Amino acid sequence: MKTMGLLISHKNGERRRALLPEQVKTLAHPGQLCFEEGYGVSVGVPDQDYLDAGAHVVPRAQALQCDIIADVKLGDADYLDTLEDGKLLFGWAHAVQGVDFTTAVLEHGHTVVAWEEIYENGRYILYRNREVAGEAAIMHAFRYCGKMPYDTKVCIIGNGQTAKGALRILHGLGAEVDVYPRKMEKLFTQKMYEYDVIVNCVMWDTSRTDRIIYAGDLKRMKPGTMIIDVSCDPYLEIETSHPTTIDDPVYTVDGVTHYAVDNTPAMYPITVTKVLSEGLAPYVDMVLTMSVEDYPENLKKAAQIIDGHIVDQRISDFRRKRNLPCR
């Protein structure tokens, strides 16, 4: 049986956690879990609660020695080069777009089981996190807009769970909102210059080589326009977009303010940690006790890289187009 080290992410502003003691108590093998010291402090949970649930609390260095590394923002990990080869990495990976992360995983023969790829009966298991991403982005970004939502004309690109969260807040605060689903992209490209705020919530097909917004489009937008890029795919669907941080969330290009924080739900860690813990707990014992080939089908599909070899064709396609190494 494997051990799992649960790490505190060092990403700016990241306070979400993967498991709460309430769910640890429900596991068959809590003694295989090693939580980094202070793991639950950001959500008001002392180390003793994890100990009382049957888990271990250990220094970070000891957690990194476990067979499995669980990290909320795995794709932004700052420790990959310090790990022994052949670890199983469990978290939000974003291995297609995360070029440096994936390169390190391939070089060190790790396995990646990506949270963003785990679905049950067609629905993403952590869908509420996506809704909170949209909600949090709107509330945070409008601090830098100069206008209240009820004084703006807004459009949302996409109509998934993130868009649902954004729309909920915008409607609640009186904004005039239009939504452009995927089939209406061409209409959006004609109408984008009419809006005060553009909210990108699209789940982008990384095999595409075109964009929704090009750098040249910014010059035609109204002065003071804001782009709220909740999807945060660097330099893909929005040419001028790159991730920002909670502490430094905006920058300006050609008079257009860009907000592109890529971990907005981290601003509501108590709400989201409950979502993560309830959603992930049923899979923890599976990851601890099973080999990847024995996973249930939905979890097996989340294994994007196995022993340093790419399984997810989207990753291979993305890297080949950019002349990056594949295995």
Side-chain angles (χ1 to χ4, degrees), residues 16 126-142 149 154-158 160-171 173 197-202 228-232 259 261-268 272:
R16 291 171 292 182
L126 306 176
Y127 70 93
R128 269 295 293 144
N129 180 79
R130 288 180 176 167
E131 292 181 4
V132 174
E135 294 165 346
I138 296 301
M139 290 190 286
H140 194 207
F142 263 87
V154 183
C155 71
I156 298 175
I157 316 167
Q161 291 146 340
T162 306
K164 177 182 178 181
L167 185 62
R168 180 184 294 127
I169 300 300
L170 287 166
H171 273 170
L173 295 177
V197 178
I198 297 169
V199 185
N200 177 34
C201 297
V202 72
I228 303 175
D229 188 3
V230 192
S231 296
C232 299
Y259 173 98
V261 176
D262 63 358
N263 62 331
T264 56
M267 291 182 280
Y268 298 89
V272 178

Side-chain angles (χ1 to χ4, degrees), residues 11 15-16 26 32 35 71 81 87 110 113 145 149 184 197 199 201 221 226 233 260 275 291 300 304-305 312:
K11 184 175 177 63
R15 298 187 294 154
R16 291 171 292 182
T26 69
Q32 302 304 112
F35 290 87
D71 184 349
D81 289 337
K87 298 286 188 181
H110 299 313
V113 179
C145 179
M184 294 170 61
V197 178
V199 185
C201 297
M221 292 180 180
M226 170 177 268
D233 297 318
V275 170
S291 59
K300 191 180 296 183
Q304 295 182 299
I305 300 171
D312 189 327

Side-chain angles (χ1 to χ4, degrees), residues 103-180:
T103 297
V105 168
L106 300 180
E107 289 177 351
H108 293 282
H110 299 313
T111 294
V112 173
V113 179
W115 292 353
E116 65 268 21
E117 300 298 330
I118 306 176
Y119 287 73
E120 291 178 353
N121 298 316
R123 186 172 73 175
Y124 178 47
I125 64 165
L126 306 176
Y127 70 93
R128 269 295 293 144
N129 180 79
R130 288 180 176 167
E131 292 181 4
V132 174
E135 294 165 346
I138 296 301
M139 290 190 286
H140 194 207
F142 263 87
R143 295 171 59 188
Y144 303 88
C145 179
K147 299 178 182 179
M148 290 294 288
Y150 55 71
D151 198 29
T152 58
K153 184 176 181 180
V154 183
C155 71
I156 298 175
I157 316 167
N159 64 342
Q161 291 146 340
T162 306
K164 177 182 178 181
L167 185 62
R168 180 184 294 127
I169 300 300
L170 287 166
H171 273 170
L173 295 177
E176 179 185 348
V177 187
D178 294 326
V179 178
Y180 292 89

Side-chain angles (χ1 to χ4, degrees), residues 4 19 27 33 68 90 280-289:
M4 179 182 291
L19 281 176
L27 301 178
L33 303 182
I68 303 163
F90 189 52
L280 294 168
Y283 294 94
V284 171
D285 281 321
M286 297 179 195
V287 175
L288 286 171
T289 62

Side-chain angles (χ1 to χ4, degrees), residues 21-40:
E22 293 93 318
Q23 279 70 49
V24 173
K25 292 176 182 177
T26 69
L27 301 178
H29 307 286
Q32 302 304 112
L33 303 182
C34 296
F35 290 87
E36 180 180 350
E37 292 171 333
Y39 186 81

Side-chain angles (χ1 to χ4, degrees), residues 212-257:
I212 293 177
I213 299 175
Y214 289 84
D217 294 326
L218 303 186
K219 294 181 174 62
R220 297 179 58 194
M221 292 180 180
K222 295 191 293 186
T225 296
M226 170 177 268
I227 295 173
I228 303 175
D229 188 3
V230 192
S231 296
C232 299
D233 297 318
Y235 309 105
L236 289 180
E237 64 266 31
I238 300 176
E239 187 172 12
T240 52
S241 184
H242 60 78
T244 58
T245 65
I246 290 171
D247 290 341
D248 189 14
V250 297
Y251 60 92
T252 302
V253 181
D254 289 334
V256 175
T257 301

